[in-house]
Amino acid sequence: MPADHSGTWEMVSNDKFDDVMKAMDIDFATRKIGVHLKQTKVIVQNGDRFETKTLSTFRNYEVNFTIGEEFEEHTKGLDNRVVKTLVTWDGDKMVCVQKGEKQNRGWNQWVEGDQLHLEIFCENKVCHQVFKKKI
Ligand code: 1AG
């Protein structure tokens, strides 16, 4: 039985997001805005099928996937690249690998109590986001 990531989650911290945005070649003006956003994550989980939305006052991002099925992801409104994405479970941790122009790219996501943790990787940078479950 995989972990339950579903729900609405509100950002409480966003450590080293600027470093990861830089590694993705995001311009200065966009990073200035991006670093201050309080993101909200909405996840609908049906077995191994996920529909996810990351919402903010500046931009929204949607990505839907099935565990174990590689797909082409267009990171529209983020760094606007095309990557080959594969999400799998490593125990209760969701592990995402995004193959493309940038090395060591992807994210890990897991739940601890009423918190959702998301580590976003790009090249040698790692950002750690923490969200709290909205009641
Ligand atoms: C993701 O989570 C990450 C979603 O796929 C977006 C979070 C961070 C953005 C990543 C890199 C920064 C690139 C550009 C910055 C520009 C604007 C910032 C806007 C941020 C809000 C959308 C999926 C995972 C699935 O949680 O459960």
Side-chain angles (χ1 to χ4, degrees), residues 5 11 14 17 20-22 24-27 30-31 33-35 37-43 50-65 73 75-80 87 94 96 98 105-109 116-118 120 122 127 129 131:
H5 289 225
M11 180 173 268
N14 193 4
F17 187 50
V20 165
M21 286 194 288
K22 267 187 210 162
M24 291 182 182
D25 309 311
I26 305 301
D27 67 83
T30 304
R31 291 202 322 270
I33 297 167
V35 82
L37 297 171
K38 286 275 172 265
Q39 301 175 24
T40 298
K41 189 84 68 183
V42 181
I43 302 175
F50 285 80
E51 292 176 4
T52 82
K53 292 185 173 71
T54 305
L55 308 173
S56 75
T57 53
F58 178 54
R59 279 181 199 161
N60 300 323
Y61 186 68
E62 281 191 36
V63 62
N64 302 325
F65 53 87
E73 179 177 5
T75 62
K76 194 172 182 296
L78 302 179
D79 63 331
N80 296 303
V87 186
M94 206 183 275
C96 173
Q98 294 168 318
R105 177 171 183 161
W107 47 263
N108 297 330
Q109 185 170 277
L116 182 82
H117 291 254
L118 177 62
I120 303 173
C122 186
C127 156
Q129 303 184 334
F131 300 79

Side-chain angles (χ1 to χ4, degrees), residues 54-131:
T54 305
L55 308 173
S56 75
T57 53
F58 178 54
R59 279 181 199 161
N60 300 323
Y61 186 68
E62 281 191 36
V63 62
N64 302 325
F65 53 87
T66 302
I67 299 291
E69 289 184 12
E70 191 175 63
F71 65 101
E72 196 164 273
E73 179 177 5
H74 179 193
T75 62
K76 194 172 182 296
L78 302 179
D79 63 331
N80 296 303
R81 287 187 170 88
V82 177
V83 291
K84 290 263 191 232
T85 300
L86 177 66
V87 186
T88 56
W89 288 111
D90 176 9
D92 280 344
K93 189 178 280 198
M94 206 183 275
V95 175
C96 173
V97 175
Q98 294 168 318
K99 279 187 286 178
E101 182 189 346
K102 292 288 175 181
Q103 298 306 300
N104 189 37
R105 177 171 183 161
W107 47 263
N108 297 330
Q109 185 170 277
W110 69 97
V111 175
E112 278 178 30
D114 67 345
Q115 290 187 332
L116 182 82
H117 291 254
L118 177 62
E119 278 175 347
I120 303 173
F121 302 89
C122 186
E123 296 178 326
N124 58 340
K125 302 300 179 194
V126 187
C127 156
H128 185 189
Q129 303 184 334
V130 182
F131 300 79

